Amino acid sequence: MGIYKWKTMGHMERIKEIILYTGIYMLLLLVAVAILYPVIWIVGSAFNEGSSLASSTAIPRHPTLHNFVRLFEETDYKKWYMNTLMIAVLNMIASVILTGTMGYVFARLKFAGKRFGLLSILILQMFPSFMGLIAIYVLFLNFGLLNQPLALVIIYGAGQIPYNTWLVKGYLKNVPLSLDEAAYIDGANKLQTYIKIILPVMFPILTFVAVTQFMVPWFDFILPSFLITSSDKKTLAVGLYELINGQANNNFTMFAAGSVLVAGPVAILYLFLQKYLVEGLSAGANKG
Amino acid sequence: MELLYYKKNATRRQKIIGYEMSRAGWLSVFVMGLGQFRNRQKGKGFLFLSIQLTYIMVEILTSSLVQGSLQGQPRAWGYGFFMRGIWGFITLGETTGGRFRDNSPVLMIEGLIAILLLSFLVFIWIYNVKDANNTALMYNLTGQRQSSKAYFKEIGESSFAYVVSTPSLILLLFVAIMPIFFAFFIAFTNYDAYHSPPADLIDWVGFANFGKIVNLPGWRTTFVGVASWTIIWATLATFTTFFGGLFLAVLVNNHRIVCKKIWRTIFILPWAIPGMVSLLVFKNFFNQTYGPLNQMLGLNIPWLNDPMLAKVTLIAINFWLGVPYFMMLMTGILTSFDKTIYDAAKVDGANRQQMFWKVTFPILLSQVMPLLIMSFAANFNNFGAVFFLTNGSPRNVAYEYAGHTDILITWIYKMTKDFQMYNMASIMSILIFLIIGGISTWNFMRTDAFKEE
């Protein structure tokens, strides 16, 4: 709204505008405070002196790194971090490879059983993944995979296939088929067409898959809590949860410190990749 | 002409195996590939024959005739992989204790794998009969038949798709499909804390567990109570975040707002922080005795300790967590809106409010409806929200293994992890699937993606 409009307004209109402006900005500020307060409070807690929740304040009176030191000295935090990082990277790579090829196959190629396959993975997606956990437990027990963090990649990698295949397939619907046909005419086979022509086009959606799948293991709780037992094999979610489960009053600042070290980078990554995340979300939503 | 007549008037059975059973068809019924040999399609016949031989060889090579004595299954003497699997699935083991005891869940899983592989064989077998029969019938009608070479060329065309997706399919078979079948069948056994393998065997009990939910007052009360709270929770959690997100998106989109990007970045922060951390922080934040909120207010409000208030707090905190997702989605959709639709409304003399509720909102809703249903399904199974925040508390004395704020999925978790009630947990999983599967199927049936394929 320009100055000109303001000048042409009547007296009552001006008052109305002023009230509207204050109202809207008050509302925005209120929401911002409600969102930021808990965030500031946990960051503050991480730098607080004491170990208990009751004494910690949003802005620490005497900031200290004591909690971070304790975290590394008294717990297996470093090992949890490395375990989770390895799972995350492997899961990211496996997911991109598996889903990329599945998405290409289901979007571009014709073969017997395609409709059946698409329908089956659709139905698979509806089951609570939790449901088969006992079977997976027994299966892992049989194959000696229990208590091995890297084995979790098998489940994460397989679990994401149904949803992401539909997502990638939906995305490829917007890419003209003439691209593939031109490659075939030039004598490329399906593998060459996929790697040289389609893969570069799929970059944005594969970024979405990579980022979301990298995030999964950091704070997934159920799977590792079922399948991992010893302390040095744990992932961050289980380790951090057990730190404050039942004794929040004693370890809360340590938990806060541990959370800041993970949630910080994760949040920054999310904020930077905002565009891809929202695009991937809506691209898959409208078509799948 | 005859061919067209046949195709038009074939019954269901005829469509599958052919208009009538030919000699070639009958031959393939007994030995896979034999009919193809009679049709002079040697390559194809050899392919089917070798599939059958592979299954037979696996059965022989894994049997005790070749492998020596079997550990653990004395009664299954001589059985190979497939027969042993079926035996294990039917009996769930017969010997307890000692070195050669049977482990029921393991036997069930091995049985399931054997049955899954055998059902593949059945599929291929039916295809083989159908193929032999149709080729023979076609030859009688037209005097022509496809050569094995042409057939393999056809297969080769689509083989890339099969080869590339094989790793994914194997993974899905073991990590997704087989566990679902396993969980389904556990619901019909007595697998609980009192029958815990490998010390004990488990047995098939049929529909007895389903009877428990209907007949035993404790289970019935818990199921009805938890299920209705789950539905209320999922509905409220979805609608509050949806309208909250819509409100924020419209608010930030207002022409009076400057620095829209900064506001949006602040508002999506809850989405960027992993849910587990936020939830555990809020759990402490709302603590009655030492939580900062009560200390700040100087009050003693039982935020998470009073049954009713705990539910309200849960929904409020979920609102904080879920609003950013919908805000970003709405912002994306609102900015890509076709503005010309408003012109007609303006001509008709609609004011801003009418335009929003009568024009913008219905279009918006039709676009996000699938997502809204998916979000409902996700909230229905929102394990984290309840587990990290209240873990089901406060306690409900009338419930079996559940608290006031437990939803179905956290109740299942408690039943399995803390109380080893595997059979009852499986029933709940089946019920969740029926509810969520029903809603999702109905939703997906209406999407373009489903209709096209």
XYZ file of all heavy atoms in Angstrom, chain A residues 17 20 24-25 27-28 34-35 37 41-42 53 98 101-102 109 111-112 115 118-119 127 130-132 134-135 138 142 154 169 190 219 221-222 225 237 248 252 274 285 287-288, chain B residues 106 109 157-158 160-162 164-165 168 171 179-180 182-183 247 256-258 267-268 274 276-277 281 284-285 290 292 320 371 383 387 412-413 417 422 429 433 444 449-450 453:
731
model
N -6.965 1.183 9.512
C -5.706 0.640 8.994
C -4.683 0.467 10.112
O -4.012 -0.550 10.215
C -5.116 1.547 7.913
C -5.564 1.228 6.484
C -5.292 -0.211 6.088
O -4.113 -0.613 6.113
O -6.252 -0.932 5.773
N -5.536 -2.465 12.198
C -5.247 -3.697 11.466
C -3.755 -4.012 11.506
O -3.357 -5.142 11.769
C -5.706 -3.557 10.014
C -7.073 -4.157 9.699
C -7.492 -3.802 8.282
C -7.070 -5.662 9.879
N -2.200 -7.304 13.274
C -1.498 -8.350 12.519
C -0.080 -8.551 13.045
O 0.359 -9.676 13.255
C -1.492 -7.997 11.019
C -2.898 -8.163 10.446
C -0.517 -8.880 10.256
C -3.042 -7.661 9.037
N 0.612 -7.448 13.282
C 1.991 -7.585 13.751
C 2.068 -8.151 15.166
O 2.988 -8.898 15.491
C 2.749 -6.255 13.631
C 3.321 -6.081 12.245
C 2.623 -5.362 11.273
C 4.528 -6.671 11.902
C 3.126 -5.229 9.988
C 5.031 -6.556 10.622
C 4.338 -5.827 9.663
O 4.844 -5.718 8.408
N -0.001 -10.292 16.367
C -0.256 -11.717 16.185
C 1.016 -12.438 15.729
O 1.375 -13.483 16.264
C -1.358 -11.882 15.131
C -2.339 -13.031 15.328
C -3.033 -12.896 16.656
C -3.374 -13.035 14.203
N 1.687 -11.839 14.735
C 2.918 -12.434 14.231
C 3.960 -12.564 15.337
O 4.614 -13.596 15.471
C 3.496 -11.586 13.099
C 2.884 -11.737 11.710
C 3.614 -10.837 10.731
C 2.973 -13.176 11.244
N 6.009 -17.719 20.794
C 5.588 -19.072 21.168
C 6.484 -20.123 20.524
O 6.724 -21.185 21.086
C 4.136 -19.312 20.760
N 6.978 -19.822 19.323
C 7.851 -20.780 18.646
C 9.274 -20.687 19.178
O 9.925 -21.696 19.441
C 7.806 -20.553 17.121
C 6.502 -21.129 16.565
C 9.006 -21.196 16.435
C 6.220 -20.718 15.149
N 10.473 -19.336 22.057
C 10.773 -19.496 23.481
C 11.303 -20.892 23.840
O 12.385 -21.000 24.425
C 9.573 -19.109 24.359
C 9.923 -19.122 25.820
C 10.694 -18.095 26.372
C 9.552 -20.180 26.647
C 11.072 -18.116 27.698
C 9.928 -20.214 27.982
C 10.685 -19.180 28.504
O 11.075 -19.205 29.808
N 15.067 -21.668 25.043
C 15.169 -22.274 26.362
C 16.042 -23.529 26.352
O 16.871 -23.735 27.245
C 13.764 -22.590 26.866
C 13.727 -23.177 28.234
C 14.008 -22.536 29.404
C 13.399 -24.521 28.556
N 13.871 -23.415 30.447
C 13.503 -24.632 29.951
C 13.031 -25.642 27.810
C 13.242 -25.822 30.617
C 12.772 -26.805 28.469
C 12.882 -26.892 29.857
N 15.891 -24.363 25.302
C 16.706 -25.594 25.281
C 18.166 -25.285 24.975
O 19.079 -25.881 25.555
C 16.146 -26.660 24.315
C 16.938 -27.962 24.490
C 16.173 -26.228 22.874
C 16.314 -29.162 23.916
N 16.739 -29.583 35.891
C 15.835 -28.800 35.070
C 15.353 -27.574 35.822
O 15.221 -26.479 35.259
C 14.654 -29.700 34.711
C 13.543 -29.129 33.877
C 14.055 -28.837 32.500
C 12.425 -30.137 33.816
N 18.115 -47.426 -4.783
C 16.949 -48.307 -4.892
C 15.736 -47.570 -5.440
O 15.085 -48.021 -6.389
C 16.608 -48.910 -3.521
C 17.571 -49.949 -2.958
C 17.159 -50.358 -1.571
C 17.629 -51.168 -3.871
N 16.041 -46.243 -9.226
C 15.809 -47.243 -10.262
C 14.348 -47.707 -10.264
O 13.743 -47.826 -11.329
C 16.718 -48.475 -10.065
O 16.681 -48.850 -8.699
C 18.138 -48.175 -10.452
N 13.791 -47.934 -9.079
C 12.389 -48.365 -9.015
C 11.483 -47.307 -9.640
O 10.571 -47.632 -10.398
C 11.959 -48.608 -7.564
C 12.462 -49.897 -6.967
S 11.676 -51.353 -7.645
C 10.277 -51.509 -6.541
N 9.046 -47.765 -18.087
C 9.113 -49.011 -18.850
C 7.785 -49.747 -18.813
O 6.967 -49.557 -17.911
C 10.223 -49.904 -18.282
C 11.601 -49.251 -18.210
C 12.607 -50.217 -17.619
C 12.060 -48.798 -19.585
N 6.144 -53.519 -18.739
C 6.465 -54.927 -18.483
C 5.278 -55.594 -17.806
O 4.437 -54.918 -17.192
C 7.727 -55.057 -17.622
C 7.679 -54.306 -16.331
C 7.270 -54.929 -15.169
C 8.041 -52.960 -16.282
C 7.223 -54.242 -13.975
C 7.991 -52.267 -15.079
C 7.585 -52.903 -13.931
N 5.220 -56.912 -17.943
C 4.122 -57.656 -17.334
C 4.221 -57.547 -15.820
O 5.291 -57.671 -15.255
C 4.180 -59.115 -17.768
N 1.229 -53.120 -13.162
C 0.082 -52.641 -12.411
C -0.022 -53.359 -11.064
O -0.266 -52.751 -10.030
C -1.182 -52.870 -13.235
C -2.357 -52.038 -12.811
C -3.572 -52.407 -13.653
N -4.768 -52.340 -12.820
C -5.483 -51.228 -12.652
N -5.146 -50.124 -13.245
N -6.545 -51.239 -11.877
N 2.677 -51.982 -8.732
C 2.353 -50.655 -8.205
C 1.277 -50.731 -7.134
O 1.336 -50.051 -6.108
C 1.885 -49.745 -9.338
C 2.991 -49.003 -10.071
C 2.422 -48.260 -11.262
C 3.674 -48.013 -9.129
N 0.278 -51.583 -7.391
C -0.797 -51.745 -6.423
C -0.288 -52.369 -5.128
O -0.666 -51.948 -4.034
C -1.884 -52.628 -7.017
C -3.078 -51.877 -7.578
C -3.989 -52.810 -8.337
C -3.838 -51.203 -6.449
N 0.272 -50.446 5.716
C 0.446 -51.196 6.958
C 1.266 -50.381 7.941
O 2.218 -49.720 7.547
C 1.175 -52.508 6.683
C 0.292 -53.593 6.193
C 0.088 -53.764 4.844
C -0.356 -54.427 7.078
C -0.739 -54.765 4.371
C -1.176 -55.426 6.615
C -1.369 -55.593 5.264
N 5.344 -50.861 12.080
C 5.539 -51.392 13.388
C 5.063 -52.838 13.521
O 5.601 -53.636 14.276
C 4.700 -50.496 14.270
C 4.861 -50.719 15.700
C 5.888 -50.118 16.364
C 3.990 -51.529 16.380
C 6.040 -50.320 17.701
C 4.149 -51.730 17.718
C 5.163 -51.129 18.378
N 4.027 -53.147 12.725
C 3.312 -54.421 12.813
C 4.239 -55.629 12.657
O 4.066 -56.635 13.335
C 2.282 -54.407 11.691
C 1.256 -55.459 11.742
S 0.014 -54.986 10.514
C -0.786 -56.540 10.256
N 5.209 -55.520 11.755
C 6.030 -56.690 11.487
C 7.291 -56.767 12.308
O 8.180 -57.559 12.032
N 8.071 -57.887 15.241
C 8.420 -59.145 15.902
C 9.077 -60.080 14.892
O 10.082 -60.732 15.179
C 7.166 -59.834 16.488
C 6.301 -58.826 17.246
C 7.554 -60.973 17.403
C 4.858 -59.269 17.390
N 8.498 -60.100 13.680
C 9.055 -60.956 12.635
C 10.470 -60.517 12.287
O 11.370 -61.350 12.123
C 8.168 -60.908 11.402
N 12.855 -61.671 14.954
C 13.197 -63.091 14.834
C 14.113 -63.327 13.638
O 15.080 -64.088 13.713
C 11.910 -63.938 14.708
C 12.254 -65.404 14.499
C 11.048 -63.782 15.939
N 17.902 -64.788 13.728
C 18.315 -65.956 12.964
C 19.561 -65.719 12.132
O 20.392 -66.589 11.968
C 17.186 -66.371 12.023
C 16.405 -67.517 12.590
O 16.647 -67.923 13.714
N 15.467 -68.029 11.838
N 19.163 -52.002 6.281
C 18.322 -52.898 5.482
C 16.848 -52.516 5.647
O 16.110 -52.414 4.672
C 18.525 -54.370 5.918
C 19.987 -54.783 5.713
C 17.593 -55.292 5.155
C 20.316 -56.144 6.288
N 7.968 -41.539 -9.257
C 7.135 -41.825 -10.422
C 6.263 -40.608 -10.760
O 6.135 -40.217 -11.917
C 6.256 -43.035 -10.110
C 5.452 -43.545 -11.271
C 4.576 -44.686 -10.808
C 3.338 -44.849 -11.656
N 2.422 -43.732 -11.684
N 18.525 -49.302 -22.479
C 17.765 -48.768 -21.342
C 18.676 -48.286 -20.221
O 18.415 -47.245 -19.603
C 16.799 -49.831 -20.840
C 15.545 -49.870 -21.680
C 14.718 -51.097 -21.396
C 13.595 -51.197 -22.400
N 13.082 -52.556 -22.535
N 16.610 -39.571 14.554
C 15.674 -39.547 15.670
C 14.613 -40.617 15.563
O 13.529 -40.477 16.082
C 15.071 -38.148 15.824
C 16.092 -37.188 16.331
C 16.774 -36.363 15.459
C 16.420 -37.156 17.664
C 17.762 -35.517 15.924
C 17.403 -36.308 18.143
C 18.081 -35.489 17.268
N 13.226 -43.932 16.856
C 13.397 -44.550 18.171
C 13.030 -46.027 18.197
O 13.780 -46.854 18.734
C 12.567 -43.787 19.199
C 12.642 -44.369 20.581
C 13.748 -44.164 21.373
C 11.609 -45.157 21.056
C 13.837 -44.711 22.633
C 11.691 -45.715 22.323
C 12.805 -45.489 23.100
N 11.879 -46.387 17.607
C 11.341 -47.735 17.798
C 12.299 -48.823 17.316
O 12.639 -49.731 18.060
C 9.996 -47.923 17.069
C 9.016 -46.819 17.452
C 9.392 -49.261 17.443
C 7.660 -46.999 16.835
N 15.506 -49.263 19.301
C 15.236 -49.664 20.688
C 14.880 -51.146 20.751
O 15.081 -51.795 21.765
C 14.131 -48.810 21.302
O 12.871 -49.274 20.913
N 19.072 -41.479 19.059
C 17.724 -41.368 19.611
C 17.580 -42.185 20.884
O 17.104 -41.693 21.905
C 16.698 -41.814 18.575
N 14.763 -37.085 34.571
C 14.874 -35.838 33.820
C 15.516 -34.733 34.651
O 16.210 -33.875 34.126
C 13.502 -35.399 33.355
N 18.926 -33.407 32.552
C 18.281 -32.636 31.509
C 19.238 -31.731 30.741
O 19.182 -31.646 29.521
C 17.116 -31.800 32.053
C 16.376 -31.125 30.952
C 15.443 -31.828 30.202
C 16.646 -29.814 30.597
C 14.795 -31.232 29.144
C 16.000 -29.222 29.534
C 15.064 -29.936 28.810
N 14.966 -25.947 2.314
C 13.540 -25.635 2.329
C 12.871 -25.839 0.983
O 11.834 -26.486 0.868
C 13.389 -24.164 2.686
C 12.769 -23.878 4.021
C 12.697 -22.388 4.224
O 11.926 -21.708 3.575
N 13.521 -21.859 5.127
N 2.605 -34.971 -3.805
C 1.257 -34.924 -3.253
C 0.199 -34.842 -4.342
O -0.808 -35.514 -4.284
C 1.117 -33.735 -2.321
N 0.231 -35.835 -7.338
C 0.125 -36.936 -8.295
C -0.027 -38.304 -7.650
O -0.456 -39.229 -8.283
C 1.370 -36.957 -9.197
C 1.285 -35.938 -10.267
C 2.600 -35.224 -10.399
C 2.411 -33.767 -10.730
N 3.219 -32.909 -9.903
N 0.394 -38.436 -6.435
C 0.382 -39.778 -5.874
C -0.635 -39.956 -4.812
O -0.726 -40.953 -4.164
N 10.409 -69.075 14.800
C 11.356 -69.356 13.717
C 10.727 -70.308 12.714
O 10.812 -70.124 11.499
C 12.666 -69.946 14.281
C 13.597 -70.336 13.149
C 13.342 -68.945 15.203
N 8.267 -68.466 10.573
C 8.897 -67.641 9.544
C 9.440 -68.503 8.412
O 9.224 -68.209 7.229
C 10.005 -66.776 10.170
C 9.361 -65.613 10.918
C 10.954 -66.242 9.106
C 10.319 -64.706 11.597
N 12.913 -57.747 -23.790
C 12.500 -56.341 -23.809
C 12.204 -55.832 -22.400
O 12.571 -54.732 -22.029
C 11.239 -56.188 -24.672
C 11.493 -56.268 -26.155
C 12.161 -55.021 -26.686
O 11.593 -53.940 -26.489
O 13.252 -55.139 -27.277
N 11.509 -56.668 -21.634
C 11.115 -56.209 -20.307
C 12.058 -56.707 -19.213
O 11.871 -56.387 -18.055
C 9.682 -56.643 -20.006
O 9.540 -58.005 -20.276
N 15.025 -55.876 -18.463
C 15.741 -54.819 -17.770
C 14.965 -54.368 -16.529
O 15.527 -54.216 -15.450
C 15.976 -53.624 -18.701
C 16.676 -52.475 -18.040
C 18.039 -52.528 -17.801
C 15.975 -51.344 -17.635
C 18.689 -51.477 -17.188
C 16.617 -50.300 -17.009
C 17.976 -50.367 -16.789
N 13.671 -54.204 -16.697
C 12.820 -53.791 -15.578
C 12.903 -54.797 -14.434
O 13.042 -54.419 -13.272
C 11.384 -53.633 -16.030
N 12.843 -56.083 -14.797
C 12.869 -57.111 -13.749
C 14.232 -57.158 -13.049
O 14.316 -57.203 -11.826
C 12.551 -58.485 -14.332
C 11.183 -58.590 -14.957
C 11.018 -59.063 -16.250
C 10.049 -58.202 -14.249
C 9.761 -59.148 -16.830
C 8.797 -58.286 -14.823
C 8.661 -58.761 -16.118
O 7.426 -58.843 -16.673
N 16.598 -54.910 -12.780
C 16.918 -53.733 -11.985
C 16.114 -53.673 -10.692
O 16.596 -53.236 -9.655
C 16.701 -52.455 -12.820
C 16.764 -51.230 -11.956
C 17.754 -52.373 -13.907
N 14.864 -54.152 -10.737
C 14.049 -54.030 -9.523
C 14.141 -55.252 -8.615
O 13.541 -55.250 -7.542
C 12.591 -53.734 -9.888
O 12.152 -54.589 -10.891
N 15.300 -54.557 -4.885
C 14.234 -53.926 -4.115
C 13.150 -54.928 -3.767
O 12.629 -54.926 -2.649
C 13.616 -52.779 -4.911
O 14.578 -51.809 -5.175
N 14.288 -57.279 -0.989
C 14.249 -56.549 0.278
C 12.825 -56.421 0.792
O 12.543 -56.682 1.961
C 14.839 -55.149 0.090
C 16.313 -54.960 0.357
C 16.695 -53.516 0.131
C 16.628 -55.356 1.794
N 7.037 -60.032 7.118
C 6.629 -59.619 8.457
C 5.140 -59.324 8.594
O 4.545 -59.589 9.636
C 7.445 -58.345 8.695
C 8.637 -58.505 7.852
C 8.163 -59.211 6.628
N 4.527 -58.795 7.534
C 3.095 -58.515 7.610
C 2.314 -59.818 7.750
O 1.420 -59.938 8.595
C 2.624 -57.727 6.373
C 3.129 -56.286 6.463
C 1.112 -57.744 6.265
C 2.945 -55.491 5.203
N 3.475 -62.592 8.907
C 3.826 -63.115 10.231
C 2.939 -62.478 11.297
O 2.308 -63.175 12.098
C 5.300 -62.831 10.512
C 5.779 -63.323 11.837
C 6.164 -64.643 12.006
C 5.847 -62.472 12.929
C 6.614 -65.102 13.231
C 6.296 -62.922 14.160
C 6.674 -64.240 14.305
N 2.888 -61.151 11.293
C 2.082 -60.444 12.298
C 0.622 -60.853 12.192
O -0.073 -60.999 13.205
C 2.227 -58.938 12.111
N -4.242 -20.518 8.423
C -4.330 -19.184 9.018
C -2.982 -18.464 8.940
O -2.904 -17.310 8.504
C -4.787 -19.303 10.472
C -4.883 -17.990 11.178
C -5.934 -17.117 10.905
C -3.930 -17.617 12.110
C -6.020 -15.898 11.550
C -4.010 -16.394 12.761
C -5.056 -15.537 12.477
N 0.108 -6.274 4.036
C 0.645 -5.337 5.017
C 1.959 -5.819 5.629
O 2.652 -5.073 6.305
C -0.372 -5.113 6.145
C -1.640 -4.431 5.669
C -2.641 -4.307 6.800
N -3.873 -3.698 6.325
C -4.878 -4.383 5.789
N -4.792 -5.673 5.651
N -5.961 -3.763 5.386
N 2.302 -7.098 5.411
C 3.485 -7.683 6.062
C 4.754 -7.407 5.254
O 4.783 -7.637 4.043
C 3.327 -9.213 6.206
C 2.019 -9.560 6.903
C 4.516 -9.818 6.939
C 1.960 -9.177 8.342
N 5.772 -6.923 5.934
C 7.078 -6.798 5.281
C 8.003 -7.914 5.800
O 7.740 -8.497 6.853
C 7.726 -5.411 5.542
C 6.975 -4.340 4.774
C 7.787 -5.115 7.022
N 8.780 -19.341 11.403
C 7.604 -20.187 11.601
C 7.829 -21.652 11.219
O 7.089 -22.523 11.663
C 6.395 -19.628 10.825
C 5.874 -18.335 11.395
C 4.903 -17.598 10.729
C 6.346 -17.848 12.602
C 4.433 -16.411 11.252
C 5.884 -16.653 13.134
C 4.925 -15.936 12.456
N 8.813 -21.940 10.351
C 9.002 -23.359 10.017
C 10.010 -24.035 10.941
O 10.283 -25.219 10.803
C 9.404 -23.609 8.541
C 10.820 -23.142 8.271
C 8.427 -23.026 7.582
C 11.408 -23.857 7.067
N 14.020 -31.961 15.044
C 13.486 -33.323 15.148
C 12.441 -33.448 16.255
O 12.639 -32.957 17.367
C 14.718 -34.152 15.481
C 15.854 -33.367 14.934
C 15.474 -31.933 15.089
N 11.445 -35.722 18.249
C 11.761 -36.329 19.535
C 12.305 -35.311 20.520
O 11.920 -35.286 21.686
C 12.781 -37.448 19.337
C 12.998 -38.260 20.575
S 14.433 -39.337 20.420
C 15.534 -38.574 21.543
N 13.196 -34.442 20.033
C 13.785 -33.432 20.909
C 12.709 -32.471 21.412
O 12.563 -32.253 22.619
C 14.905 -32.671 20.180
C 15.363 -31.473 21.000
C 16.071 -33.586 19.886
N 11.496 -32.051 25.286
C 11.635 -30.741 25.924
C 10.294 -30.288 26.483
O 10.204 -29.846 27.624
C 12.188 -29.711 24.919
C 12.042 -28.306 25.459
C 13.642 -30.009 24.611
N 9.226 -31.874 29.717
C 9.802 -31.255 30.906
C 9.270 -29.853 31.136
O 9.089 -29.416 32.259
C 11.324 -31.234 30.775
C 11.898 -32.628 30.856
O 11.839 -33.264 31.889
N 12.400 -33.120 29.746
N 9.015 -29.169 30.048
C 8.503 -27.799 30.100
C 7.164 -27.758 30.837
O 6.895 -26.870 31.626
C 8.330 -27.313 28.658
C 8.282 -25.831 28.513
C 9.433 -25.077 28.663
C 7.091 -25.191 28.216
C 9.405 -23.706 28.508
C 7.052 -23.815 28.067
C 8.221 -23.069 28.211
N 8.434 -29.374 38.634
C 9.636 -28.582 38.386
C 9.695 -27.980 36.979
O 10.729 -27.481 36.566
C 10.898 -29.402 38.672
C 10.949 -30.760 38.008
C 11.253 -30.854 36.657
C 10.692 -31.930 38.727
C 11.305 -32.079 36.034
C 10.743 -33.161 38.102
C 11.047 -33.238 36.759
O 11.097 -34.456 36.143
N 9.369 -25.377 33.965
C 9.518 -23.926 33.925
C 8.188 -23.186 33.742
O 8.038 -22.076 34.225
C 10.414 -23.694 32.703
C 11.040 -24.987 32.419
C 10.144 -26.048 32.933
N 1.762 -27.100 17.843
C 3.058 -26.407 17.724
C 3.959 -27.129 16.721
O 4.600 -26.518 15.878
C 3.720 -26.385 19.103
C 4.938 -25.518 19.224
C 4.967 -24.205 19.584
C 6.313 -25.909 19.036
N 6.252 -23.749 19.618
C 7.097 -24.764 19.282
C 6.948 -27.095 18.683
C 8.494 -24.784 19.191
C 8.327 -27.119 18.580
C 9.085 -25.970 18.832
N -3.627 -35.178 0.800
C -2.622 -34.974 1.840
C -3.241 -34.944 3.225
O -2.647 -35.399 4.198
C -1.890 -33.656 1.607
C -0.585 -33.804 0.876
C 0.023 -32.450 0.598
C 0.370 -34.608 1.754
N 3.189 -42.380 16.808
C 3.785 -43.005 17.991
C 4.532 -41.986 18.844
O 4.339 -41.890 20.047
C 4.735 -44.109 17.533
C 5.513 -44.755 18.637
C 4.944 -45.746 19.407
C 6.810 -44.366 18.900
C 5.654 -46.342 20.427
C 7.531 -44.954 19.919
C 6.954 -45.943 20.687
N 4.213 -41.210 22.880
C 5.239 -41.932 23.632
C 6.199 -40.988 24.357
O 6.462 -41.148 25.542
C 6.020 -42.848 22.685
C 7.079 -43.666 23.364
C 6.737 -44.785 24.099
C 8.410 -43.307 23.284
C 7.703 -45.549 24.731
C 9.390 -44.065 23.915
C 9.031 -45.186 24.639
N -0.038 -50.889 21.458
C 0.624 -52.047 20.847
C 2.077 -52.135 21.308
O 2.569 -53.196 21.663
C 0.590 -51.938 19.309
C -0.835 -52.056 18.804
C 1.453 -53.020 18.677
C -0.942 -51.890 17.312
N 2.738 -50.980 21.304
C 4.151 -50.951 21.702
C 4.317 -51.489 23.115
O 5.174 -52.319 23.386
C 4.682 -49.525 21.598
C 6.146 -49.400 21.978
C 7.141 -49.680 21.055
C 6.523 -49.005 23.261
C 8.469 -49.566 21.383
C 7.855 -48.888 23.603
C 8.829 -49.163 22.665
O 10.156 -49.057 22.997
N 6.582 -54.673 23.853
C 7.880 -54.416 24.471
C 7.867 -54.704 25.975
O 8.779 -55.308 26.499
C 8.272 -52.967 24.205
C 9.611 -52.565 24.766
C 10.721 -52.688 23.763
C 12.039 -52.354 24.439
N 13.178 -52.385 23.565
N 2.177 -60.588 22.402
C 2.332 -60.481 20.950
C 1.034 -60.726 20.190
O 0.745 -60.069 19.199
C 3.412 -61.443 20.467
C 4.767 -61.144 21.049
C 5.362 -61.994 21.956
C 5.437 -59.974 20.700
C 6.603 -61.715 22.503
C 6.674 -59.673 21.234
C 7.249 -60.554 22.141
O 8.458 -60.249 22.680
N -2.872 -54.463 15.416
C -2.253 -54.059 14.147
C -3.192 -54.323 12.983
O -3.327 -53.502 12.080
C -0.950 -54.813 13.924
O -0.108 -54.631 15.017
N -4.802 -51.575 10.500
C -4.688 -51.677 9.048
C -6.057 -51.578 8.385
O -6.218 -50.919 7.364
C -4.008 -52.978 8.638
C -4.098 -53.218 7.162
C -3.395 -52.409 6.292
C -4.910 -54.210 6.657
C -3.497 -52.599 4.924
C -5.006 -54.406 5.288
C -4.297 -53.593 4.426
N -7.050 -43.337 -2.460
C -6.204 -43.559 -3.638
C -7.025 -43.919 -4.880
O -6.643 -43.598 -5.993
C -5.186 -44.663 -3.359
C -3.949 -44.144 -2.722
C -3.564 -44.567 -1.461
C -3.158 -43.213 -3.381
C -2.427 -44.071 -0.864
C -2.019 -42.714 -2.792
C -1.657 -43.138 -1.529
N -3.426 -40.780 -10.427
C -2.295 -41.697 -10.517
C -2.774 -43.141 -10.523
O -2.221 -43.987 -11.204
C -1.339 -41.473 -9.349
N -3.815 -43.418 -9.741
C -4.328 -44.784 -9.657
C -5.095 -45.153 -10.919
O -4.964 -46.243 -11.444
C -5.229 -44.908 -8.438
C -5.715 -46.304 -8.204
C -4.937 -47.205 -7.512
C -6.947 -46.707 -8.677
C -5.380 -48.484 -7.299
C -7.394 -47.985 -8.483
C -6.602 -48.876 -7.782
N -2.796 -46.052 -14.258
C -1.920 -47.227 -14.419
C -2.689 -48.506 -14.677
O -3.732 -48.727 -14.149
C -1.038 -47.374 -13.171
C 0.049 -46.337 -13.087
C 0.942 -46.290 -14.322
O 1.101 -47.337 -14.974
O 1.464 -45.226 -14.642
